[in-house]
Amino acid sequence: MAEINFFTESTIFTLKNKTHLRSWLLKCAKSEKQTISELNYIFCSDNYLKKINKQFLNHNYFTDVITFPTSLPGDKAISGDIFISIDRVRDNAKTYGVRVNDELHRVMVHGLLHLCGYGDKTSSQEKTMRGKENYYLGRMQRPFALKKLI
């Protein structure tokens, strides 16, 4: 049975519409021909995520999301921990002129897509990732169509 959990660490943040978000994330995974075993979203501060970035990835800078898979590559039942900096989400929303919730949902599905096997290190990978993010963000309000993406 799929388990999607939401936690906070070193920040004050309340996630709204958890039931809707869980349903959306499950549908996103299903569209990618995956199931979710366990996902843990940890919403945290910039400083908290920077420490994780430095400790585990040897990167000494702020970032919006870091994904740690706990399932093996190729597993159809994915699991992992997705850390999201609420500070970075708010700043990025302002920078890009989007609503905070839209930016939050983008990084949430971004982390899920990493667990589905998508990367973002090359320009081609990044283009694919952005296309998938946009597709799934468009499914937040409209009926979800399970169709293959090009």
Side-chain angles (χ1 to χ4, degrees), residues 5 37 42 68-70 110 119 124 131 138:
N5 305 299
S37 175
I42 303 95
F68 293 103
T70 54
H110 182 93
S124 175

Side-chain angles (χ1 to χ4, degrees), residues 116-135:
C116 291
Y118 292 95
D120 58 3
K121 298 296 181 207
T122 68
S123 60
S124 175
Q125 289 175 335
E126 188 174 347
K127 182 178 178 183
T128 299
M129 179 71 86
R130 293 295 168 260
K132 295 253 179 203
E133 290 169 4
N134 291 334
Y135 174 80

Side-chain angles (χ1 to χ4, degrees), residues 8 11-18 43 86 90 101 104:
T8 57
T11 193
I12 297 171
F13 173 72
T14 302
L15 184 66
K16 297 181 175 144
N17 301 315
K18 292 177 187 175
F43 304 104
I86 294 303
R90 288 176 178 142
N101 275 347
L104 176 63

